[in-house]
Amino acid sequence: AELAKRMGIKASLMIQKLMMMDVMATVNQTIDYDTATIVAGEFGFEVERASFEEENILQGHEDRPEEMITRAPVVTVMGHVDHGKTSLLDTIRKTRVATGEAGGITQHIGAYSVEMDGGRITFLDTPGHEAFTAMRSRGAKVTDIVILVVAADDGVMPQTVEAINHAKAAEVPIIVAVNKIDKPGADPDRVKRELSDKGVVAEDWGGDTIFTHVSAKENIGIDTLLEMVLLQTEVLDLKANPDKKALGHVVEAKLDTGRGPVATVLIQEGTLRTGDAVVCGIHHGKIRAMINDQGAPISEAGPSIPVEILGLSGVPGAGDELFALKDEKDARQVSTHRSQKQRAKELAKTSRMSLEKLFEQMEEGEVKELNLILKADVQGSIEAIRDSLEKMSTQEVKIHIIHSATGTVTESDISLAAVSNAIILGFNVRPGAKVHEMAKEENVDMRFYDIIYNALKDIQDAMVGMMASTF
Ligand code: GDP
């Protein structure tokens, strides 16, 4: 449509010409440069290449091994509601962030860093797996380590299990902080037992997970916890090159009435400097000012440093990528290109895994694993179906149950399914309208059964390509 308009001809005429060239296009479709050249030529026009390859502009972001230096770990705190995630983050911030000169109050920018004898640690200040999954669903890998908070007087709860499965799906190591050990009813051994049932096994029980005992409220054991984070960091051997243009991800962003779009970005590679031209999601801009977690203005930020930036053309989303480039012209070009691409993507609805598509994708060699989430009214059903399903794995497709729990399907299940490309199976459960709506929005295949046999049969059929005949 756009090309026809520019040439001043009817779109239908152009579609006809394209059809004669064996190109079936609709008015909303994008055609490639070569096709555009030919069809425009038919109408006596010449096409000039104005687009660009994003990769060319993104030059200068590649690394040489000798430039890599150790960087600080980025930590997310997860766990069941009321187990003390916010308290833990507050205690660490209050007692361990070197307070800035201006007033001595730390600034809430969505992330902060603490400086220890053994090194620096950066915390994302939004606890819980919702933020974690939101970032992941945009392809952002920001977290290096998850601190799993479990209250010693309450033990493993549904959101504890969810957090474990989210961390596992993202392949991020877990450090357990058994919290509230100051309470009379605290039973850390029970937490250890319950977690090992979920596959999170302490080192002294033959596993590989670090367990620590803390009280976020009484400030007990926090230093040990932080030391353990640094210990785990050594194992991970985290490195980044500070000596190039910056690359990072947005942690949070908002529109400030006085300052315009404000975003907290976690720099992951390179160094960001004031005056740098940047692309951030579909927006662009020039860094006007940077503010650190202590509210102080800074002129540069290197790997693993969270920083609030001013100067973007719009408000990006959490999880959006930020990168610096040569000049503002390039930045504007990339951001325009990206907005166009995003629109095209929205038009061509994202396709996720579904049972109908399983066989087709297997044949094309696209799937090797079928990820499932099981929800049922009783534990017995889960165990029965888990056993049967795991036996159905074949050489071509391995069935992988990434999460299972009693209770109905929740919004958290949908987001886990979306980021892990999983299908949800529900047994004798009926989620509310909001969950159905979200599944539809996210294109997550959700199926409900009363009889286990029917579910097994559907999956069996899907795996041998018989699904079409049953639906
Ligand atoms: P979140 O929902 O996981 O963020 O939990 P919060 O940090 O909001 O804590 C929930 C409640 O537990 C609050 O009333 C806290 O004061 C309390 N709490 C948190 N940590 C501790 C602790 O170590 N000991 C005791 N006794 N209470 C705690």
Side-chain angles (χ1 to χ4, degrees), residues 80-87 179-180 182-183 215-217:
H80 195 68
V81 65
D82 279 346
H83 279 198
K85 299 180 292 292
T86 314
S87 307
N179 189 32
K180 307 200 187 184
D182 59 295
K183 282 190 122 179
S215 165
K217 198 170 160 199

